[in-house]
Amino acid sequence: MSHKHRPPRDRRGVAAVEFAVVAPVLLTIMFAMIQLNRSYEAQNLLETAAREGARFASMDRDGMLTDGQTANGKLAEDVKTFLESNGLPREGITVEVKDADDPSLDFDIADPDNDLRLFEVRVSVDYSDISYMSVGADSDYAMSASVYFRNGRATISD
């Protein structure tokens, strides 16, 4: 039995068609991974900023405040500066210092009556402010982090 030798089929353009089918899927996955990484990075930055802002309350603040600046104001400015230096837009950042017992009340970390009391630092930014892609108003939400801390100032030892 003899096999007839068939001529090869014309396969020009097959790779281009396969690429045209696969490329959109690969690009979508790539952009989704980039966006997901940005979200995780922003969340980690918010958590770090909240922790470092709260840590400020445990420090001896003598000589750290400028004229007319409050301790809460310095805490908020330091948090915003940290986040801005890491690529988050300063104007979209919200920093709140709240009483741990009653979160509806603001907490003054400089008030001596608040020494050794727990407080909460909340830091938030809208997802649309950190996203590389446009986010519709109906899909936007606030990314936030908070930390509870004790308002106990430790003096720096020599």
Side-chain angles (χ1 to χ4, degrees), residues 13-72:
V14 171
V17 171
E18 288 173 352
F19 180 75
V21 170
V22 173
V25 174
L26 291 177
L27 287 173
T28 301
I29 291 170
M30 183 181 72
F31 286 126
M33 288 176 54
I34 290 170
Q35 188 61 33
L36 188 61
N37 181 57
R38 174 67 170 167
S39 297
Y40 280 126
E41 176 190 30
Q43 185 63 44
N44 187 41
L45 287 171
L46 290 173
E47 291 168 5
T48 301
R51 184 177 58 248
E52 291 302 312
R55 191 178 65 81
F56 169 75
S58 70
M59 296 173 60
D60 181 8
R61 296 182 289 275
D62 292 338
M64 295 179 78
L65 304 176
T66 60
D67 290 336
Q69 187 179 36
T70 65
N72 284 35

